Amino acid sequence: MADWVFNALSEKNVRELTIDFWNNEIVPDELEIKPILKQLPRLKETVWRTLKSQNFESDFIRSGILKIKMGKTGYRYLYCKTILTDKNGKEYIGKEYTESVYEDEFQVFKPNIKQVIKKLFG
């Protein structure tokens, strides 16, 4: 998923992304693409499995958000932080971690006419 997120952010010239994996929403919505959306149920399932393994009620967590920022240097990595909210409104903010991007750069979105012309005529 990191490769898709990084390349989509780069193409749209956006530095940050918020993924609400509890409600299957992505902000900004222009980055709401199938390769990212397809992963969201797995994130929610991971929370449910963790709740079960720790003997919590399955509805204890009511919200799950993943905040992602691009690294500012030329390296291909993302900073990620998860925020969960329980049924009492308490937030649990995870430690920020770095996710590396391994695949070579690839195009996520179809080019618009302006981009096609620019590529043809430089």
Side-chain angles (χ1 to χ4, degrees), residues 26-115:
I26 297 175
V27 176
D29 60 353
E30 65 189 297
L31 297 174
E32 211 168 81
I33 58 174
K34 284 183 184 181
I36 297 173
L37 289 170
K38 284 179 65 174
Q39 298 300 318
L40 303 189
R42 286 182 54 197
L43 296 172
K44 196 171 184 178
E45 181 65 32
T46 299
V47 172
W48 283 334
R49 280 196 315 265
T50 303
L51 289 172
K52 183 177 181 180
S53 73
Q54 299 299 312
N55 296 318
F56 281 92
E57 303 158 357
S58 62
D59 67 342
F60 181 73
I61 295 297
R62 300 285 173 90
S63 170
I65 295 172
L66 184 60
K67 296 213 174 249
I68 300 172
K69 295 187 286 188
M70 289 182 73
K72 293 182 181 176
T73 63
Y75 298 104
R76 295 174 53 81
Y77 59 88
L78 301 167
Y79 292 112
C80 307
K81 183 183 288 190
T82 304
I83 302 168
L84 300 175
T85 306
D86 70 18
K87 63 183 178 182
N88 300 314
K90 181 177 177 183
E91 283 190 342
Y92 302 87
I93 301 172
K95 179 180 165 186
E96 184 172 81
Y97 68 95
T98 303
E99 182 70 32
S100 296
V101 177
Y102 296 103
E103 286 188 40
D104 290 335
E105 187 175 332
F106 57 85
Q107 190 165 4
V108 174
F109 302 97
K110 291 182 181 180
N112 61 34
I113 190 70
K114 184 178 177 181
Q115 292 168 324

